[in-house]
Amino acid sequence: MSPPKIAIIGAGPAGLMLARLLQHNSIPCTVYEKEKDRHARTQGGSLDLHEGSAQLALKEAGLYEDFLRVAYPDGEVLKIYTPEGKVLLDENEKFGVGRPEQMKNRPEIDRVKLRSLLLDSLDSKTVKWGRRLLRVEETSDDRYNLHFEGITETGLDVVVGADGAWSKVRALLSDTKPFYAGVTGLDVTIVDADKRSPAEAKRVGGGMCLTIGKDRGILAQRNGNGTIRTYAFVRCPEFWYKECEIDWTQPEAAKHAMIDTHYPDWDQGSKDMILKSDDDIVVRPMYMLPIGFKWEHRTGATCIGDAAHLMCPFAGVGVNVGMLDALQCARAIIGRKTEWDNLAVFSEQKAVAAALAEYEEEMFARSAKDAAKTLEYQNVFFNPVGAEYMVEYFGNIKAQEEGSSGGVKVDAQAATEIKAAAEIHVGALA
């Protein structure tokens, strides 16, 4: 057998899942990752993995039972506060309308545990660490050379970009770049929260805690390792964080300045999620690709995950869409395997091109729907009314599920303001 020489750029969940699925079907591949090793940085908070996407990929990869052993279903619960400190919903205590059924059966897993699960499932030499890709060069025979810092890999038959928001592989396929989505957040953590910050730990509960105000929010999430990760998000100009004169290298002063600027009249409990956090702070402007983004098919090159359809995190679908991309891309390649099984030298570029085109057409249509849903959720999180609108939104979906006429209502003027704000925001992003 002479399989194609496959390179996957990026060792995130999508790239590692693709590698696992290919190897699980006896198709070799190499993953190139810019980080120096698997411990180079923290991997962020936790992820909820959905039944019809990420969980499906884990099952097909033979990793579902391993996933269940490290996931924590208790992390699915949600609390919603108003900025004044009123609890509108608490699934820990079964108070309030609760989320729709379609949002359930999504166990949480810490990012670092998911990455370890996938890495440990691969052949030991699959990932080449410390490879920062500079550019992809297409050769005259429909193959690719990968130019990394200090080294070049040549003669690749297939290059899959799983290299995130600013993908070098996507740059080969399209000139389109991500644009600012209108929201910026301050990312903070409280390590060992139950012991060090019991009041904040109690406020968050067992899963996620959202305090939603007008066009801003403080969103906290309990991770499986006892850390609470909190984001203070606000609608603001793209470079506000550079122009606001807050010195982000001084964590204590920066946290107080963020609160004083954007949350001055919020209750102390919500403020303390930021003010009592540890000193590792990160400013995160949110970027996205256009809804419905696609590129012309190109022999032997494609993208998955954020490289293909960068979205904001507010619908919680990003990693799920990416892992489903990996599954669909793997299925397409595996489905052509018989065409090269008996070759001494791989020469079936056309077969691989057809497989990738098949994957891309399915992915373009599917991801456009997820991107639209993500923008819808963004406008639920950041609306001119606040937490009441999110509860109404959940209530209306639940009412539809149950066949009744509607859920909790906000007043007509508020609903009009929300609709107008959403239309303005969508227009600004177009």
Side-chain angles (χ1 to χ4, degrees):
M1 181 181 76
S2 180
K5 190 176 179 182
I6 300 175
I8 300 167
I9 311 302
L16 293 176
M17 176 55 75
L18 177 58
R20 166 62 183 181
L21 288 162
L22 293 176
Q23 290 188 357
H24 197 51
N25 287 274
S26 302
I27 299 176
C29 60
T30 301
V31 179
Y32 298 91
E33 170 55 49
K34 65 183 178 182
E35 293 175 0
K36 65 179 182 179
D37 58 44
R38 69 195 295 170
H39 307 296
R41 65 178 179 88
T42 61
Q43 296 299 309
S46 65
L47 302 162
D48 59 318
L49 301 192
H50 302 181
E51 286 184 298
S53 50
Q55 290 185 42
L56 184 62
L58 287 163
K59 289 176 181 177
E60 200 148 321
L63 298 174
Y64 184 68
E65 296 302 322
D66 294 326
F67 159 68
L68 292 179
R69 281 192 282 272
V70 294
Y72 51 103
D74 292 346
E76 291 188 72
V77 292
L78 173 68
K79 294 175 78 171
I80 298 178
Y81 284 85
T82 68
E84 297 76 29
K86 180 181 178 181
V87 179
L88 299 183
L89 183 155
D90 186 354
E91 293 179 337
N92 299 269
E93 303 295 335
K94 295 182 172 55
F95 170 77
V97 67
R99 284 177 294 178
E101 289 300 314
Q102 63 184 249
M103 298 180 183
K104 297 181 180 178
N105 299 315
R106 299 173 173 181
E108 297 277 342
I109 183 172
D110 287 352
R111 287 177 182 267
V112 67
K113 289 185 178 180
L114 177 60
R115 195 186 204 194
S116 293
L117 173 67
L118 292 167
L119 281 170
D120 293 344
S121 75
L122 300 177
D123 297 342
S124 60
K125 295 182 180 179
T126 300
V127 181
K128 293 190 176 183
W129 300 97
R131 298 292 180 89
R132 181 180 292 275
L133 184 63
L134 301 177
R135 65 185 178 91
V136 182
E137 174 194 4
E138 187 174 11
T139 64
S140 59
D141 58 350
D142 290 328
R143 289 183 169 87
Y144 297 91
N145 298 332
L146 304 177
H147 295 268
F148 299 97
E149 289 182 348
I151 193 170
T152 299
E153 299 281 356
T154 62
L156 281 305
D157 298 298
V158 178
V159 177
V160 181
D163 47 342
W166 307 102
S167 170
K168 298 296 185 181
V169 180
R170 187 180 64 239
L172 174 75
L173 302 171
S174 171
D175 293 331
T176 300
K177 294 180 174 59
F179 61 92
Y180 181 58
V183 176
T184 291
L186 181 64
D187 176 354
V188 302
T189 56
I190 302 175
V191 176
D192 198 13
D194 288 317
K195 291 183 179 179
R196 297 177 57 236
S197 295
E200 287 64 52
K202 182 178 180 181
R203 177 185 177 89
V204 172
M208 181 171 285
C209 170
L210 310 178
T211 307
I212 306 295
K214 296 181 179 181
D215 290 327
R216 65 205 63 213
I218 294 178
L219 322 178
Q221 179 188 50
R222 180 181 291 273
N223 299 162
N225 62 0
T227 295
I228 289 176
R229 184 172 292 270
T230 304
Y231 307 87
F233 278 116
V234 62
R235 286 202 196 273
C236 62
E238 180 175 8
F239 300 110
W240 168 82
Y241 71 100
K242 293 181 178 180
E243 299 166 351
C244 64
E245 299 184 355
I246 296 175
D247 184 354
W248 302 106
T249 67
Q250 302 297 316
E252 279 303 308
K255 289 184 288 186
H256 279 84
M258 183 73 175
I259 292 297
D260 291 344
T261 301
H262 292 294
Y263 310 90
D265 55 350
W266 286 37
D267 81 298
Q268 194 61 41
S270 60
K271 293 179 179 181
D272 285 345
M273 296 305 305
I274 303 299
L275 298 177
K276 293 187 177 181
S277 65
D278 301 331
D279 284 345
D280 295 326
I281 67 173
V282 181
V283 178
R284 298 195 184 280
M286 296 286 104
Y287 290 86
M288 61 184 285
L289 283 165
I291 296 172
F293 167 65
K294 60 176 66 177
W295 56 84
E296 294 294 326
H297 300 307
R298 196 167 191 139
T299 299
T302 194
C303 288
I304 61 176
D306 286 348
H309 40 63
L310 179 65
M311 308 172 197
C312 293
F314 305 112
V317 299
V319 70
N320 292 282
V321 181
M323 291 175 74
L324 185 54
D325 289 348
L327 175 59
Q328 300 291 24
C329 186
R331 283 175 172 173
I333 294 172
I334 293 162
R336 302 282 177 159
K337 184 180 175 185
T338 56
E339 300 187 35
W340 67 71
D341 264 349
N342 298 318
L343 297 178
V345 177
F346 179 79
S347 59
E348 287 298 320
Q349 281 87 355
K350 289 184 178 179
V352 171
L356 297 184
E358 174 187 314
Y359 150 71
E360 287 173 350
E361 285 304 313
E362 184 277 336
M363 179 271 291
F364 290 150
R366 169 172 48 82
S367 65
K369 294 177 183 177
D370 287 309
K373 178 61 70 173
T374 294
L375 185 57
E376 178 182 332
Y377 269 92
Q378 181 170 321
N379 288 322
V380 171
F381 272 88
F382 307 102
N383 68 79
V385 173
E388 291 85 356
Y389 179 64
M390 178 173 282
V391 172
E392 182 207 12
Y393 180 85
F394 288 156
N396 287 336
I397 296 176
K398 288 194 72 171
Q400 292 171 15
E401 290 177 341
E402 296 165 2
S404 56
S405 59
V408 180
K409 299 292 183 184
V410 296
D411 63 73
Q413 179 61 34
T416 300
E417 290 178 6
I418 291 166
K419 185 174 184 295
E423 289 172 348
I424 290 170
H425 186 55
V426 171
L429 295 180

PDB file of all heavy atoms in Angstrom, residues 184-196:
ATOM      1  N   THR A 184     -15.204  42.277  23.145  1.00  0.00           N
ATOM      2  CA  THR A 184     -13.888  42.006  23.739  1.00  0.00           C
ATOM      3  C   THR A 184     -14.086  41.555  25.183  1.00  0.00           C
ATOM      4  O   THR A 184     -14.995  42.035  25.876  1.00  0.00           O
ATOM      5  CB  THR A 184     -12.994  43.256  23.689  1.00  0.00           C
ATOM      6  OG1 THR A 184     -12.645  43.522  22.329  1.00  0.00           O
ATOM      7  CG2 THR A 184     -11.709  43.073  24.491  1.00  0.00           C
ATOM      8  N   GLY A 185     -13.239  40.649  25.634  1.00  0.00           N
ATOM      9  CA  GLY A 185     -13.361  40.135  26.999  1.00  0.00           C
ATOM     10  C   GLY A 185     -12.047  40.150  27.762  1.00  0.00           C
ATOM     11  O   GLY A 185     -10.962  40.097  27.175  1.00  0.00           O
ATOM     12  N   LEU A 186     -12.149  40.231  29.073  1.00  0.00           N
ATOM     13  CA  LEU A 186     -11.011  40.039  29.974  1.00  0.00           C
ATOM     14  C   LEU A 186     -11.142  38.653  30.576  1.00  0.00           C
ATOM     15  O   LEU A 186     -12.148  38.324  31.194  1.00  0.00           O
ATOM     16  CB  LEU A 186     -11.004  41.095  31.083  1.00  0.00           C
ATOM     17  CG  LEU A 186      -9.833  41.008  32.073  1.00  0.00           C
ATOM     18  CD1 LEU A 186      -8.511  41.272  31.364  1.00  0.00           C
ATOM     19  CD2 LEU A 186     -10.026  41.994  33.236  1.00  0.00           C
ATOM     20  N   ASP A 187     -10.135  37.811  30.382  1.00  0.00           N
ATOM     21  CA  ASP A 187     -10.126  36.409  30.791  1.00  0.00           C
ATOM     22  C   ASP A 187      -9.303  36.274  32.069  1.00  0.00           C
ATOM     23  O   ASP A 187      -8.116  36.622  32.093  1.00  0.00           O
ATOM     24  CB  ASP A 187      -9.518  35.584  29.644  1.00  0.00           C
ATOM     25  CG  ASP A 187      -9.360  34.107  29.950  1.00  0.00           C
ATOM     26  OD1 ASP A 187      -9.604  33.693  31.096  1.00  0.00           O
ATOM     27  OD2 ASP A 187      -8.970  33.364  29.030  1.00  0.00           O
ATOM     28  N   VAL A 188      -9.947  35.797  33.149  1.00  0.00           N
ATOM     29  CA  VAL A 188      -9.266  35.641  34.434  1.00  0.00           C
ATOM     30  C   VAL A 188      -9.617  34.279  35.035  1.00  0.00           C
ATOM     31  O   VAL A 188     -10.565  33.617  34.598  1.00  0.00           O
ATOM     32  CB  VAL A 188      -9.655  36.762  35.422  1.00  0.00           C
ATOM     33  CG1 VAL A 188      -9.326  38.135  34.865  1.00  0.00           C
ATOM     34  CG2 VAL A 188     -11.141  36.687  35.794  1.00  0.00           C
ATOM     35  N   THR A 189      -8.860  33.858  36.035  1.00  0.00           N
ATOM     36  CA  THR A 189      -9.118  32.582  36.702  1.00  0.00           C
ATOM     37  C   THR A 189      -8.978  32.715  38.217  1.00  0.00           C
ATOM     38  O   THR A 189      -8.296  33.616  38.719  1.00  0.00           O
ATOM     39  CB  THR A 189      -8.145  31.489  36.229  1.00  0.00           C
ATOM     40  OG1 THR A 189      -6.792  31.938  36.451  1.00  0.00           O
ATOM     41  CG2 THR A 189      -8.329  31.182  34.758  1.00  0.00           C
ATOM     42  N   ILE A 190      -9.648  31.794  38.906  1.00  0.00           N
ATOM     43  CA  ILE A 190      -9.432  31.594  40.342  1.00  0.00           C
ATOM     44  C   ILE A 190      -9.093  30.118  40.516  1.00  0.00           C
ATOM     45  O   ILE A 190      -9.944  29.247  40.323  1.00  0.00           O
ATOM     46  CB  ILE A 190     -10.673  31.950  41.185  1.00  0.00           C
ATOM     47  CG1 ILE A 190     -11.094  33.396  40.947  1.00  0.00           C
ATOM     48  CG2 ILE A 190     -10.388  31.705  42.672  1.00  0.00           C
ATOM     49  CD1 ILE A 190     -12.390  33.792  41.652  1.00  0.00           C
ATOM     50  N   VAL A 191      -7.843  29.817  40.823  1.00  0.00           N
ATOM     51  CA  VAL A 191      -7.396  28.440  41.011  1.00  0.00           C
ATOM     52  C   VAL A 191      -7.816  27.950  42.392  1.00  0.00           C
ATOM     53  O   VAL A 191      -7.786  28.703  43.366  1.00  0.00           O
ATOM     54  CB  VAL A 191      -5.860  28.347  40.843  1.00  0.00           C
ATOM     55  CG1 VAL A 191      -5.360  26.950  41.139  1.00  0.00           C
ATOM     56  CG2 VAL A 191      -5.467  28.772  39.425  1.00  0.00           C
ATOM     57  N   ASP A 192      -8.230  26.675  42.464  1.00  0.00           N
ATOM     58  CA  ASP A 192      -8.638  26.060  43.733  1.00  0.00           C
ATOM     59  C   ASP A 192      -9.692  26.932  44.427  1.00  0.00           C
ATOM     60  O   ASP A 192      -9.579  27.279  45.606  1.00  0.00           O
ATOM     61  CB  ASP A 192      -7.418  25.870  44.635  1.00  0.00           C
ATOM     62  CG  ASP A 192      -7.676  24.872  45.758  1.00  0.00           C
ATOM     63  OD1 ASP A 192      -8.701  24.157  45.701  1.00  0.00           O
ATOM     64  OD2 ASP A 192      -6.867  24.826  46.703  1.00  0.00           O
ATOM     65  N   ALA A 193     -10.726  27.256  43.669  1.00  0.00           N
ATOM     66  CA  ALA A 193     -11.699  28.266  44.093  1.00  0.00           C
ATOM     67  C   ALA A 193     -12.444  27.890  45.366  1.00  0.00           C
ATOM     68  O   ALA A 193     -12.738  28.761  46.201  1.00  0.00           O
ATOM     69  CB  ALA A 193     -12.691  28.523  42.968  1.00  0.00           C
ATOM     70  N   ASP A 194     -12.796  26.618  45.560  1.00  0.00           N
ATOM     71  CA  ASP A 194     -13.578  26.242  46.740  1.00  0.00           C
ATOM     72  C   ASP A 194     -12.850  26.574  48.032  1.00  0.00           C
ATOM     73  O   ASP A 194     -13.481  26.956  49.024  1.00  0.00           O
ATOM     74  CB  ASP A 194     -13.902  24.745  46.695  1.00  0.00           C
ATOM     75  CG  ASP A 194     -14.944  24.413  45.632  1.00  0.00           C
ATOM     76  OD1 ASP A 194     -15.926  25.169  45.516  1.00  0.00           O
ATOM     77  OD2 ASP A 194     -14.760  23.426  44.911  1.00  0.00           O
ATOM     78  N   LYS A 195     -11.536  26.451  48.042  1.00  0.00           N
ATOM     79  CA  LYS A 195     -10.758  26.756  49.250  1.00  0.00           C
ATOM     80  C   LYS A 195     -10.373  28.222  49.326  1.00  0.00           C
ATOM     81  O   LYS A 195     -10.441  28.836  50.398  1.00  0.00           O
ATOM     82  CB  LYS A 195      -9.496  25.885  49.288  1.00  0.00           C
ATOM     83  CG  LYS A 195      -9.762  24.411  49.528  1.00  0.00           C
ATOM     84  CD  LYS A 195      -8.451  23.640  49.619  1.00  0.00           C
ATOM     85  CE  LYS A 195      -8.708  22.156  49.885  1.00  0.00           C
ATOM     86  NZ  LYS A 195      -7.442  21.372  49.960  1.00  0.00           N
ATOM     87  N   ARG A 196      -9.978  28.791  48.196  1.00  0.00           N
ATOM     88  CA  ARG A 196      -9.412  30.134  48.212  1.00  0.00           C
ATOM     89  C   ARG A 196     -10.469  31.226  48.080  1.00  0.00           C
ATOM     90  O   ARG A 196     -10.269  32.336  48.569  1.00  0.00           O
ATOM     91  CB  ARG A 196      -8.381  30.278  47.094  1.00  0.00           C
ATOM     92  CG  ARG A 196      -7.178  29.352  47.260  1.00  0.00           C
ATOM     93  CD  ARG A 196      -6.202  29.466  46.097  1.00  0.00           C
ATOM     94  NE  ARG A 196      -5.747  30.836  45.923  1.00  0.00           N
ATOM     95  CZ  ARG A 196      -5.859  31.512  44.784  1.00  0.00           C
ATOM     96  NH1 ARG A 196      -6.436  30.952  43.723  1.00  0.00           N
ATOM     97  NH2 ARG A 196      -5.416  32.751  44.707  1.00  0.00           N
TER      98      ARG A 196
END
